[in-house]
Amino acid sequence: MELFEIIERDEHEQIIFCSNKDAGLRAIIAIHNTSLGPAFGGTRMWNYGSVDEALTDVMKLSKIMTYKAAVTGLNYGGGNAVIIGNPQRENRELLFRTFGKYVNSLAGRYYTAEDVGTTVEDMEFVRMETKYVTGISKALGGSGNPAPVTAYGIFVGMKACANARWGNDSLENKKIVIQGAGQVGKNLAEYLTASGAKVFITDIYPEKIENLSKSVKAEFVPHDKIFEIDSDIFSPCALGGIINEETINKLNCEIIAGSANNQLENEEKHGRMLFEKGILYAPDYVINAGGLINVANELEGYRQDRALKQADKIYHNLSKVIEISEKENVPPCLASAKIAEERLKHIGGMKKIYTKN
Ligand code: NAD
């Protein structure tokens, strides 16, 4: 009974626990809502401290995917998977092929892709067992790394925020701080420096900064000094939970716009705190939808120009969120939830459960 209560709290449709001792596999697949179409979401591999921690994470991620697809106008549902284990583990073929068999058993109700701790190569192992996987390499007909399109979406989303806040969407001479010099951070820094912004970037690994300094004209800052910089835009592109009581008090910026999932430690409470402080927060699942757009494109025969064109719509989607937020005097995270829930209700009919005919 308790397990059903957990599922019902977030209104998930289905949770699948997958175990195979020979492959060393312990995974959970969460399918949140398929009323708009098959569930879409990555596979995260992480050293979770407990099964509860993994279950909480996968359920939070799958719910966000429902909202991301709905607000972006895609006809997909929300799902996600986690594999409990060391993301640096070697000998990954048996593990990911066994996981792929579980994905295949869902017969198209869930499509997976890479996420934190998994790679394009891992998804190619999954591909050996199922067609319900995306994010495989371009050489095999896939879309490759989604980060360039995600970064482009963040860039246009920042422009929408700039337009709402300063009356035009130019980022020239704006002081922008990027937290995380990973795949998205690097590509974003390139877009921003090319458009004349003054970019400051940090990472916990100095070698990432070293690599980046060869190609990007940005100022590099130690990661523990990031909140000491006054900026126009703060861009969280590392991990979630970065916006919390402690950091909100330190933040000195006008806009928060970045790629990390679940940036607000507590969606409602911290969204409201930012709103009351006059900081414009771009809801993460609205602005970082470029990654989902990219992998979803793979199902229709991937073309990056088409994915980038679709990512352009993030400007419009975010502008609409900000408009509702201003009109109804509610934080943008509540405005975006409203748009997503209305689409789920009207288009998805809420009760529809996707199965492949
Ligand atoms: P990544 O692992 O390539 O980069 C993240 C970087 O953040 C790493 O270099 C890491 O060292 C750094 N980092 C971690 N903690 C930090 C801290 N406290 N301070 C500074 N740097 C720190 O990941 P990515 O693909 O660039 O994704 C970044 C974020 O965006 C993740 O949260 C991811 O879930 C989210 N996201 C990514 C995509 C995508 O297409 N890659 C799509 C949607 C959302």
Side-chain angles (χ1 to χ4, degrees):
M1 193 56 205
E2 224 174 74
L3 265 180
F4 277 103
E5 277 163 17
I6 293 172
I7 293 174
E8 282 153 13
R9 193 182 51 210
D10 260 338
E11 296 184 61
H12 274 72
E13 283 178 15
Q14 191 179 10
I15 311 274
I16 302 106
F17 287 79
C18 319
S19 161
N20 185 295
K21 278 196 178 157
D22 293 339
L25 175 76
R26 275 185 156 194
I28 311 173
I29 301 171
I31 297 182
H32 178 250
N33 184 305
T34 59
S35 60
L36 288 173
F40 224 114
T43 298
R44 181 168 289 193
M45 186 164 175
W46 202 246
N47 269 322
Y48 291 101
S50 65
V51 173
D52 270 357
E53 203 185 295
L55 182 61
T56 303
D57 201 31
V58 75
M59 289 179 72
K60 220 169 156 180
L61 289 164
S62 61
K63 185 175 175 189
I64 272 210
M65 292 309 292
T66 298
Y67 281 69
K68 192 182 293 194
V71 87
T72 306
L74 295 170
N75 288 319
Y76 291 107
N80 228 92
V82 295
I83 295 178
I84 302 169
N86 180 2
Q88 310 295 340
R89 169 180 161 158
E90 290 181 2
N91 300 325
R92 298 164 85 94
E93 180 173 352
L94 181 60
L95 177 77
F96 281 94
R97 289 185 71 165
T98 307
F99 174 69
K101 286 185 177 171
Y102 280 102
V103 174
N104 199 50
S105 73
L106 293 167
R109 261 173 62 67
Y110 168 63
Y111 282 81
T112 197
E114 59 270 72
D115 190 66
V116 175
T118 59
T119 63
V120 170
E121 290 73 34
D122 295 332
M123 291 310 118
E124 286 171 6
F125 289 135
V126 173
R127 182 77 181 86
M128 291 175 189
E129 305 295 340
T130 184
K131 57 184 178 192
Y132 305 118
V133 55
T134 57
I136 54 173
S137 66
K138 285 186 177 159
L140 293 179
S143 58
N145 180 0
V149 176
T150 303
Y152 180 70
I154 305 293
F155 175 64
V156 298
M158 274 184 185
K159 283 178 158 289
C161 293
N163 189 41
R165 181 52 61 109
W166 301 305
N168 73 71
D169 62 17
S170 168
L171 296 173
E172 200 174 351
N173 291 322
K174 296 293 180 209
K175 213 168 154 183
I176 301 175
V177 174
I178 304 176
Q179 182 188 43
Q183 306 270 9
V184 178
K186 172 183 172 291
N187 283 281
L188 177 61
E190 283 169 4
Y191 278 118
L192 290 172
T193 48
S195 71
K198 291 182 191 149
V199 176
F200 296 75
I201 190 160
T202 189
D203 202 283
I204 44 175
Y205 294 113
E207 63 269 23
K208 298 246 182 177
I209 293 294
E210 227 166 83
N211 286 341
L212 200 68
S213 64
K214 290 176 195 144
S215 58
V216 176
K217 223 175 122 220
E219 198 166 310
F220 301 98
V221 281
H223 68 91
D224 52 351
K225 299 271 185 290
I226 192 101
F227 292 106
E228 291 174 18
I229 304 171
D230 294 351
S231 62
D232 295 301
I233 304 177
F234 174 60
S235 183
C237 294
L239 296 179
I242 189 66
I243 311 294
N244 51 48
E245 238 127 303
E246 193 194 328
T247 56
I248 289 175
N249 286 324
K250 290 186 197 164
L251 272 171
N252 204 342
C253 62
E254 290 200 47
I255 293 167
I256 298 175
S259 72
N261 281 315
N262 295 320
Q263 287 167 35
L264 302 175
E265 196 178 78
N266 179 312
E267 186 86 5
E268 212 168 320
K269 181 174 171 197
H270 298 128
R272 190 162 291 285
M273 278 175 79
L274 290 174
F275 189 59
E276 282 163 5
K277 206 177 165 187
I279 296 176
L280 173 56
Y281 167 70
D284 43 19
Y285 62 81
V286 183
I287 196 169
N288 74 11
L292 174 62
I293 290 170
N294 199 61
V295 289
N297 248 277
E298 204 169 313
L299 300 180
E300 287 147 28
Y302 184 71
R303 276 195 11 224
Q304 196 179 51
D305 58 340
R306 187 177 57 198
L308 288 168
K309 209 166 164 49
Q310 285 178 4
D312 262 329
K313 290 191 187 140
I314 290 173
Y315 186 103
H316 165 80
N317 296 343
L318 203 48
S319 300
K320 198 166 134 200
V321 167
I322 298 168
E323 194 186 306
I324 293 177
S325 157
E326 286 171 354
K327 206 162 119 199
E328 300 187 6
N329 198 30
V330 294
C333 59
L334 292 188
S336 58
K338 185 180 162 177
I339 296 171
E341 282 162 11
E342 275 177 4
R343 181 157 187 261
L344 284 165
K345 196 168 158 206
H346 294 308
I347 310 292
M350 214 57 176
K351 298 273 182 290
K352 210 164 83 191
I353 306 287
Y354 179 85
T355 50
K356 211 165 170 77
N357 294 323

Short mmCIF file of all heavy atoms in Angstrom, two decimals, residues 44 61 68 115-116 145-151 178-186 202-205 208 223 226 236-240 242 258-261 288-292, ligand 1:
data_model
loop_
_atom_site.label_atom_id
_atom_site.label_comp_id
_atom_site.label_asym_id
_atom_site.label_seq_id
_atom_site.Cartn_x
_atom_site.Cartn_y
_atom_site.Cartn_z
N ARG A 44 19.82 8.23 -16.01
CA ARG A 44 20.88 8.78 -15.16
C ARG A 44 21.56 7.63 -14.43
O ARG A 44 20.87 6.74 -13.92
CB ARG A 44 20.26 9.76 -14.17
CG ARG A 44 21.25 10.42 -13.25
CD ARG A 44 20.62 11.58 -12.52
NE ARG A 44 20.37 12.70 -13.40
CZ ARG A 44 20.05 13.94 -12.98
NH1 ARG A 44 19.94 14.18 -11.70
NH2 ARG A 44 19.85 14.92 -13.84
N LEU A 61 12.47 13.69 -11.73
CA LEU A 61 12.91 13.92 -13.10
C LEU A 61 11.82 13.57 -14.11
O LEU A 61 11.61 14.29 -15.09
CB LEU A 61 14.17 13.09 -13.40
CG LEU A 61 15.45 13.55 -12.69
CD1 LEU A 61 16.52 12.47 -12.73
CD2 LEU A 61 15.99 14.84 -13.32
N LYS A 68 7.99 19.57 -19.21
CA LYS A 68 8.88 20.11 -20.26
C LYS A 68 8.26 19.90 -21.64
O LYS A 68 8.18 20.81 -22.45
CB LYS A 68 10.25 19.43 -20.16
CG LYS A 68 11.31 20.11 -20.99
CD LYS A 68 12.67 19.40 -20.91
CE LYS A 68 13.31 19.46 -19.56
NZ LYS A 68 14.73 19.09 -19.56
N ASP A 115 21.89 10.84 -19.98
CA ASP A 115 21.72 11.88 -18.97
C ASP A 115 23.01 11.88 -18.15
O ASP A 115 23.99 11.22 -18.54
CB ASP A 115 20.47 11.58 -18.11
CG ASP A 115 20.09 12.74 -17.20
OD1 ASP A 115 19.71 13.79 -17.73
OD2 ASP A 115 20.20 12.62 -15.97
N VAL A 116 23.00 12.55 -17.01
CA VAL A 116 24.19 12.60 -16.16
C VAL A 116 24.67 11.15 -15.88
O VAL A 116 23.87 10.30 -15.51
CB VAL A 116 23.85 13.31 -14.82
CG1 VAL A 116 25.04 13.26 -13.87
CG2 VAL A 116 23.43 14.75 -15.08
N ASN A 145 25.48 14.40 -29.51
CA ASN A 145 25.42 15.14 -28.25
C ASN A 145 24.35 16.24 -28.30
O ASN A 145 24.40 17.12 -29.16
CB ASN A 145 26.82 15.74 -28.05
CG ASN A 145 26.93 16.54 -26.78
OD1 ASN A 145 25.97 16.66 -26.02
ND2 ASN A 145 28.10 17.10 -26.56
N PRO A 146 23.39 16.25 -27.36
CA PRO A 146 22.33 17.27 -27.42
C PRO A 146 22.74 18.65 -26.90
O PRO A 146 22.03 19.62 -27.07
CB PRO A 146 21.23 16.68 -26.50
CG PRO A 146 21.95 15.77 -25.57
CD PRO A 146 23.16 15.27 -26.27
N ALA A 147 23.93 18.72 -26.25
CA ALA A 147 24.31 19.97 -25.56
C ALA A 147 24.34 21.22 -26.47
O ALA A 147 23.91 22.30 -26.02
CB ALA A 147 25.64 19.79 -24.85
N PRO A 148 24.83 21.13 -27.71
CA PRO A 148 24.84 22.37 -28.53
C PRO A 148 23.43 22.95 -28.72
O PRO A 148 23.26 24.17 -28.67
CB PRO A 148 25.43 21.91 -29.87
CG PRO A 148 26.26 20.71 -29.52
CD PRO A 148 25.55 20.04 -28.40
N VAL A 149 22.43 22.08 -28.91
CA VAL A 149 21.06 22.59 -29.10
C VAL A 149 20.49 23.08 -27.76
O VAL A 149 19.80 24.10 -27.71
CB VAL A 149 20.15 21.53 -29.77
CG1 VAL A 149 18.72 22.03 -29.89
CG2 VAL A 149 20.69 21.19 -31.16
N THR A 150 20.83 22.38 -26.68
CA THR A 150 20.40 22.86 -25.35
C THR A 150 20.96 24.27 -25.11
O THR A 150 20.25 25.18 -24.68
CB THR A 150 20.90 21.92 -24.23
OG1 THR A 150 20.41 20.61 -24.51
CG2 THR A 150 20.41 22.36 -22.87
N ALA A 151 22.26 24.43 -25.39
CA ALA A 151 22.91 25.73 -25.16
C ALA A 151 22.28 26.82 -26.03
O ALA A 151 22.06 27.95 -25.57
CB ALA A 151 24.40 25.63 -25.46
N ILE A 178 28.40 32.10 -15.73
CA ILE A 178 27.99 30.71 -15.99
C ILE A 178 28.61 29.80 -14.94
O ILE A 178 29.83 29.79 -14.76
CB ILE A 178 28.44 30.24 -17.40
CG1 ILE A 178 27.89 31.17 -18.49
CG2 ILE A 178 28.01 28.80 -17.65
CD1 ILE A 178 28.38 30.83 -19.90
N GLN A 179 27.77 29.04 -14.27
CA GLN A 179 28.27 28.06 -13.30
C GLN A 179 28.29 26.69 -13.97
O GLN A 179 27.25 26.13 -14.27
CB GLN A 179 27.37 28.01 -12.06
CG GLN A 179 27.88 27.04 -11.02
CD GLN A 179 26.90 26.84 -9.88
OE1 GLN A 179 25.70 26.71 -10.11
NE2 GLN A 179 27.39 26.82 -8.66
N GLY A 180 29.49 26.16 -14.22
CA GLY A 180 29.62 24.86 -14.87
C GLY A 180 30.14 24.99 -16.29
O GLY A 180 29.45 25.50 -17.17
N ALA A 181 31.41 24.55 -16.48
CA ALA A 181 32.02 24.65 -17.82
C ALA A 181 31.97 23.29 -18.50
O ALA A 181 32.96 22.83 -19.07
CB ALA A 181 33.45 25.15 -17.69
N GLY A 182 30.82 22.63 -18.42
CA GLY A 182 30.65 21.33 -19.06
C GLY A 182 30.17 21.50 -20.49
O GLY A 182 30.42 22.52 -21.14
N GLN A 183 29.47 20.49 -20.96
CA GLN A 183 29.02 20.49 -22.36
C GLN A 183 28.15 21.69 -22.70
O GLN A 183 28.36 22.36 -23.70
CB GLN A 183 28.18 19.23 -22.61
CG GLN A 183 28.84 17.94 -22.24
CD GLN A 183 29.61 17.38 -23.42
OE1 GLN A 183 29.76 18.05 -24.43
NE2 GLN A 183 30.09 16.19 -23.29
N VAL A 184 27.16 21.96 -21.85
CA VAL A 184 26.26 23.08 -22.13
C VAL A 184 26.97 24.42 -21.87
O VAL A 184 26.93 25.33 -22.69
CB VAL A 184 24.96 23.00 -21.28
CG1 VAL A 184 24.06 24.20 -21.57
CG2 VAL A 184 24.21 21.71 -21.57
N GLY A 185 27.65 24.52 -20.71
CA GLY A 185 28.33 25.76 -20.33
C GLY A 185 29.29 26.23 -21.40
O GLY A 185 29.35 27.42 -21.74
N LYS A 186 30.03 25.28 -21.96
CA LYS A 186 31.04 25.62 -22.98
C LYS A 186 30.37 26.20 -24.25
O LYS A 186 30.74 27.25 -24.75
CB LYS A 186 31.82 24.35 -23.33
CG LYS A 186 32.76 24.47 -24.48
CD LYS A 186 33.41 23.11 -24.74
CE LYS A 186 34.21 23.11 -26.02
NZ LYS A 186 33.40 23.20 -27.23
N THR A 202 32.88 29.39 -14.34
CA THR A 202 33.58 28.64 -13.29
C THR A 202 33.31 27.15 -13.42
O THR A 202 32.35 26.74 -14.07
CB THR A 202 33.12 29.12 -11.90
OG1 THR A 202 33.95 28.53 -10.91
CG2 THR A 202 31.68 28.73 -11.60
N ASP A 203 34.16 26.35 -12.79
CA ASP A 203 33.92 24.92 -12.69
C ASP A 203 34.70 24.39 -11.49
O ASP A 203 35.64 25.04 -11.02
CB ASP A 203 34.39 24.17 -13.97
CG ASP A 203 33.69 22.82 -14.12
OD1 ASP A 203 34.08 21.87 -13.41
OD2 ASP A 203 32.74 22.73 -14.91
N ILE A 204 34.27 23.24 -10.98
CA ILE A 204 35.02 22.69 -9.84
C ILE A 204 36.29 21.97 -10.32
O ILE A 204 37.19 21.72 -9.54
CB ILE A 204 34.16 21.72 -8.97
CG1 ILE A 204 33.35 20.78 -9.85
CG2 ILE A 204 33.24 22.48 -8.03
CD1 ILE A 204 32.59 19.71 -9.08
N TYR A 205 36.34 21.65 -11.62
CA TYR A 205 37.54 20.99 -12.16
C TYR A 205 38.35 21.99 -12.99
O TYR A 205 37.92 22.41 -14.07
CB TYR A 205 37.15 19.79 -13.03
CG TYR A 205 36.51 18.69 -12.23
CD1 TYR A 205 35.16 18.36 -12.41
CD2 TYR A 205 37.24 17.98 -11.28
CE1 TYR A 205 34.57 17.35 -11.67
CE2 TYR A 205 36.64 16.97 -10.53
CZ TYR A 205 35.32 16.66 -10.73
OH TYR A 205 34.73 15.67 -10.00
N LYS A 208 38.76 21.67 -16.84
CA LYS A 208 37.65 22.07 -17.72
C LYS A 208 37.84 23.53 -18.14
O LYS A 208 37.61 23.91 -19.29
CB LYS A 208 36.31 21.94 -17.00
CG LYS A 208 35.99 20.54 -16.59
CD LYS A 208 34.80 20.03 -17.34
CE LYS A 208 34.47 18.64 -16.90
NZ LYS A 208 33.31 18.09 -17.52
N HIS A 223 35.31 28.54 -8.28
CA HIS A 223 33.89 28.17 -8.09
C HIS A 223 33.31 28.67 -6.77
O HIS A 223 32.13 28.93 -6.67
CB HIS A 223 33.70 26.66 -8.26
CG HIS A 223 34.33 25.84 -7.19
ND1 HIS A 223 33.67 25.48 -6.07
CD2 HIS A 223 35.58 25.33 -7.10
CE1 HIS A 223 34.48 24.76 -5.31
NE2 HIS A 223 35.64 24.66 -5.91
N ILE A 226 31.85 32.45 -6.96
CA ILE A 226 30.84 32.74 -7.98
C ILE A 226 29.74 33.70 -7.49
O ILE A 226 29.27 34.55 -8.23
CB ILE A 226 30.23 31.41 -8.52
CG1 ILE A 226 29.40 31.65 -9.76
CG2 ILE A 226 29.40 30.67 -7.52
CD1 ILE A 226 30.10 31.31 -11.00
N PRO A 236 22.92 28.97 -14.10
CA PRO A 236 23.32 27.69 -13.50
C PRO A 236 23.36 26.57 -14.54
O PRO A 236 22.32 26.17 -15.05
CB PRO A 236 22.22 27.41 -12.46
CG PRO A 236 21.37 28.64 -12.41
CD PRO A 236 21.53 29.33 -13.72
N CYS A 237 24.56 26.09 -14.86
CA CYS A 237 24.70 25.02 -15.85
C CYS A 237 25.50 23.86 -15.26
O CYS A 237 26.27 23.19 -15.95
CB CYS A 237 25.40 25.55 -17.11
SG CYS A 237 24.44 26.76 -18.00
N ALA A 238 25.33 23.65 -13.93
CA ALA A 238 26.03 22.53 -13.28
C ALA A 238 24.98 21.55 -12.76
O ALA A 238 24.39 20.82 -13.55
CB ALA A 238 26.93 23.06 -12.18
N LEU A 239 24.72 21.59 -11.45
CA LEU A 239 23.76 20.63 -10.90
C LEU A 239 22.53 21.33 -10.32
O LEU A 239 22.51 22.56 -10.19
CB LEU A 239 24.46 19.79 -9.80
CG LEU A 239 25.61 18.91 -10.30
CD1 LEU A 239 26.24 18.15 -9.15
CD2 LEU A 239 25.14 17.92 -11.37
N GLY A 240 21.53 20.52 -9.95
CA GLY A 240 20.29 21.08 -9.42
C GLY A 240 20.42 21.56 -7.98
O GLY A 240 21.48 21.41 -7.34
N ILE A 242 20.67 24.48 -6.77
CA ILE A 242 21.63 25.56 -6.53
C ILE A 242 20.93 26.85 -6.05
O ILE A 242 21.55 27.70 -5.41
CB ILE A 242 22.50 25.81 -7.81
CG1 ILE A 242 23.64 26.78 -7.51
CG2 ILE A 242 21.70 26.28 -8.98
CD1 ILE A 242 24.66 26.22 -6.55
N GLY A 258 19.47 29.28 -16.87
CA GLY A 258 20.51 28.27 -17.10
C GLY A 258 19.93 26.92 -17.42
O GLY A 258 18.70 26.73 -17.46
N SER A 259 20.82 25.93 -17.63
CA SER A 259 20.37 24.63 -18.13
C SER A 259 20.09 23.59 -17.05
O SER A 259 19.42 22.60 -17.31
CB SER A 259 21.41 24.05 -19.08
OG SER A 259 22.55 23.63 -18.34
N ALA A 260 20.65 23.75 -15.85
CA ALA A 260 20.54 22.67 -14.86
C ALA A 260 19.08 22.32 -14.59
O ALA A 260 18.22 23.21 -14.55
CB ALA A 260 21.24 23.08 -13.57
N ASN A 261 18.81 21.04 -14.41
CA ASN A 261 17.46 20.60 -14.06
C ASN A 261 17.23 20.80 -12.58
O ASN A 261 18.15 20.69 -11.78
CB ASN A 261 17.30 19.11 -14.38
CG ASN A 261 17.05 18.86 -15.85
OD1 ASN A 261 16.25 19.56 -16.47
ND2 ASN A 261 17.75 17.90 -16.41
N ASN A 288 15.48 24.89 -20.83
CA ASN A 288 16.46 23.87 -21.22
C ASN A 288 15.85 22.77 -22.10
O ASN A 288 16.40 21.68 -22.23
CB ASN A 288 17.17 23.28 -19.98
CG ASN A 288 16.30 22.33 -19.17
OD1 ASN A 288 15.23 21.92 -19.59
ND2 ASN A 288 16.78 21.97 -17.98
N ALA A 289 14.73 23.08 -22.74
CA ALA A 289 14.03 22.06 -23.55
C ALA A 289 14.77 21.73 -24.85
O ALA A 289 14.39 20.79 -25.56
CB ALA A 289 12.62 22.54 -23.87
N GLY A 290 15.83 22.46 -25.18
CA GLY A 290 16.58 22.19 -26.42
C GLY A 290 17.07 20.74 -26.48
O GLY A 290 17.09 20.13 -27.55
N GLY A 291 17.46 20.18 -25.34
CA GLY A 291 17.96 18.81 -25.31
C GLY A 291 16.87 17.82 -25.70
O GLY A 291 17.09 16.91 -26.50
N LEU A 292 15.68 18.03 -25.16
CA LEU A 292 14.54 17.16 -25.49
C LEU A 292 14.16 17.33 -26.96
O LEU A 292 13.91 16.36 -27.67
CB LEU A 292 13.35 17.47 -24.57
CG LEU A 292 12.05 16.73 -24.89
CD1 LEU A 292 12.22 15.22 -24.76
CD2 LEU A 292 10.91 17.21 -23.98
P1 NAD B 1 28.30 18.28 -17.75
O1 NAD B 1 28.46 17.18 -16.78
O2 NAD B 1 29.01 18.22 -19.07
O3 NAD B 1 28.74 19.69 -17.09
C1 NAD B 1 28.44 20.06 -15.79
C2 NAD B 1 29.69 20.78 -15.26
O4 NAD B 1 29.38 21.37 -14.00
C3 NAD B 1 30.86 19.84 -15.02
O5 NAD B 1 31.98 20.34 -15.73
C4 NAD B 1 31.07 19.89 -13.51
O6 NAD B 1 32.43 19.76 -13.16
C5 NAD B 1 30.53 21.26 -13.18
N1 NAD B 1 30.12 21.45 -11.79
C6 NAD B 1 29.48 20.58 -10.96
N2 NAD B 1 29.25 21.17 -9.77
C7 NAD B 1 29.73 22.44 -9.86
C8 NAD B 1 29.80 23.55 -8.97
N3 NAD B 1 29.29 23.48 -7.73
N4 NAD B 1 30.37 24.69 -9.40
C9 NAD B 1 30.87 24.78 -10.65
N5 NAD B 1 30.85 23.77 -11.53
C10 NAD B 1 30.30 22.62 -11.15
O7 NAD B 1 26.72 18.46 -17.95
P2 NAD B 1 25.97 19.26 -19.11
O8 NAD B 1 25.57 18.29 -20.16
O9 NAD B 1 26.75 20.47 -19.48
O10 NAD B 1 24.64 19.68 -18.35
C11 NAD B 1 24.65 20.71 -17.40
C12 NAD B 1 23.32 20.73 -16.66
O11 NAD B 1 22.26 20.95 -17.59
C13 NAD B 1 22.99 19.41 -15.95
O12 NAD B 1 22.29 19.70 -14.77
C14 NAD B 1 22.05 18.71 -16.93
O13 NAD B 1 21.14 17.81 -16.27
C15 NAD B 1 21.30 19.89 -17.52
N6 NAD B 1 20.81 19.64 -18.87
C16 NAD B 1 21.66 19.27 -19.85
C17 NAD B 1 21.18 19.04 -21.13
C18 NAD B 1 22.12 18.61 -22.23
O14 NAD B 1 21.71 18.65 -23.40
N7 NAD B 1 23.36 18.25 -21.94
C19 NAD B 1 19.82 19.20 -21.41
C20 NAD B 1 18.95 19.62 -20.40
C21 NAD B 1 19.47 19.83 -19.12
#
